[in-house]
Amino acid sequence: FLKLGAQHVFAGIDHVLFVLSLLLGAASAAGGELGRGLRRVAWLITGFTLGHSVTLMVAALGLVEPDPRLTESLIALSIVVVAVHNILRENPGGRTLTSSAFGLVHGFGFASVLADIGLPARGAVPALLSFNVGIELAQLAIVGLFFPGLVWAGRRSWFRSRLLLPVSGLIAALALIWFVKRSFGLSGLAWLGE
């Protein structure tokens, strides 16, 4: 289940782009200081983790069963909101509460994967915890892979115009397409993802 959690993050481009959008904003707000940026990222990832851990467990244990179409639509919308926030705010800080709230939505998405796989009859809680740890390890790998380079780029005069704005715009556009497709159950343009 640890491996399945990590694979779900890496296979789900929407989750990768959500974390990348958070990292772009944190790198921008860090002002090129790695220590300051890592503190921001730690708060963002902790908030997101707390949020999705709660709803993942609640949904996976069958206590709440949200409509998957609604959940997946809201996940796409959360990506749009974070990416647009990067575009509109010069210094996109103060996102811990936002990432926590969006984590609640993403947790339901993670739980739908577990519903497809099924938790074992015995040891459901350890399997659930292992799945969640796998998600966290994958997120930390994304942070480790992208964030140092983003902070380095954040020191450059071209960061906002050549990296932050175009990448956030592309992410927002793609996520908006996902939102429309998921909200209305559209299946066209499969190459753009689900």
Side-chain angles (χ1 to χ4, degrees):
F1 281 89
L2 181 93
K3 185 178 177 182
L4 287 172
Q7 286 175 338
H8 175 65
V9 171
F10 291 128
I13 189 70
D14 52 355
H15 297 297
V16 172
L17 292 182
F18 179 78
V19 173
L20 182 58
S21 289
L22 289 173
L23 295 178
L24 280 163
S28 177
E33 296 178 29
L34 185 60
R36 182 176 170 195
L38 286 174
R39 283 190 296 278
R40 284 181 179 268
V41 168
W43 282 108
L44 292 173
I45 297 298
T46 299
F48 184 68
T49 298
L50 291 174
H52 79 69
S53 296
V54 168
T55 51
L56 169 62
M57 289 185 193
V58 167
L61 295 174
L63 301 174
V64 175
E65 294 181 26
D67 178 8
R69 189 162 136 186
L70 175 63
T71 299
E72 291 301 318
S73 297
L74 290 175
I75 287 171
L77 187 58
S78 73
I79 300 165
V80 172
V81 169
V82 172
V84 168
H85 191 235
N86 285 346
I87 294 167
L88 297 179
R89 298 234 6 227
E90 186 76 29
N91 184 358
R95 289 192 169 166
T96 303
L97 187 58
T98 304
S99 65
S100 300
F102 288 152
L104 293 170
V105 175
H106 285 249
F108 287 127
F110 292 141
S112 68
V113 171
L114 278 180
D116 293 340
I117 297 167
L119 287 170
R122 294 183 61 176
V125 172
L128 184 57
L129 292 173
S130 293
F131 185 80
N132 205 31
V133 169
I135 290 168
E136 299 321 308
L137 291 174
Q139 288 179 170
L140 290 174
I142 293 167
V143 170
L145 182 65
F146 288 106
F147 197 63
L150 290 174
V151 171
W152 173 84
R155 296 181 187 134
R156 307 300 181 252
S157 61
W158 48 260
F159 174 73
R160 183 163 177 79
S161 63
R162 293 187 189 168
L163 186 64
L164 180 82
L165 294 177
V167 172
S168 294
L170 182 62
I171 290 171
L174 186 57
L176 185 59
I177 291 168
W178 292 337
F179 174 71
V180 170
K181 287 179 68 173
R182 293 171 182 182
S183 296
F184 297 103
L186 304 175
S187 59
L189 304 173
W191 58 275
L192 288 173
E194 297 299 323

